[in-house]
Amino acid sequence: MQIAQNSVVAFHYTLTNDSGEVLDSSEGREPLTYLHGAGNIIPGLEKELEGRAAGDKLNVKVTPEEGYGEVQEQLVQEVPRDAFQGVENIEPGMQFQAQTQGGPLMVTVKNIEGDTVIVDGNHPLAGEHLNFDVEIASVREASQEETEHGHVHGEGGVEH
């Protein structure tokens, strides 16, 4: 079976940046399982998996536009330290959920300058080219329930 809309796909992967640094991998774990066409993985990778089958191996380079987007400078902001009530030690790399006009947003502390904390709401991989080494483990037709819910159920997927 080939990967198409509403296929349940399981694949192993290694993700590296352009410097060859491994950013993530399924090595030693179960394959990543997703519902094709439901926006469960980044668009650039999903597009390249279309039409593939179990056993296929491929290398995919995803541009920022097809991955986590370009860095948006307006998402880097200065916040007063007292906005972090109840947090004694704030350090670069810490992540917090901020409440914004557009809803919740994960932010990462980039720097601390006195009573000012610089946070970044961009995805940590925004602006990066993403290089995937992929092996497709299995492809099957999604159940009606999986299609209705927009994600995989059962092994490797979401349990309700």
Side-chain angles (χ1 to χ4, degrees), residues 34-50:
Y34 77 100
L35 178 62
H36 192 80
N40 298 154
I41 63 172
I42 59 172
L45 180 57
E46 186 170 57
K47 183 170 65 176
E48 292 295 322
L49 293 178
E50 182 91 22

Side-chain angles (χ1 to χ4, degrees), residues 134-157:
V134 174
E135 181 176 358
I136 299 167
S138 66
V139 181
R140 68 169 172 82
E141 192 174 322
S143 70
Q144 182 177 343
E145 184 180 47
E146 289 170 324
T147 302
E148 289 170 0
H149 289 191
H151 58 250
V152 178
H153 292 171
E155 199 168 316

Side-chain angles (χ1 to χ4, degrees), residues 10-15 22-33 132-137:
F11 67 95
H12 283 287
Y13 67 95
T14 298
L15 168 62
V22 174
L23 304 174
D24 194 12
S25 176
S26 65
E27 188 175 331
R29 301 187 321 226
E30 291 295 315
L32 177 66
T33 304
F132 289 90
D133 183 16
V134 174
E135 181 176 358
I136 299 167

Side-chain angles (χ1 to χ4, degrees), residues 14-18 20-25 125 128-131:
T14 298
L15 168 62
T16 58
N17 60 17
D18 281 343
E21 176 187 2
V22 174
L23 304 174
D24 194 12
S25 176
L125 297 177
E128 296 270 350
H129 285 94
L130 307 173
N131 304 293

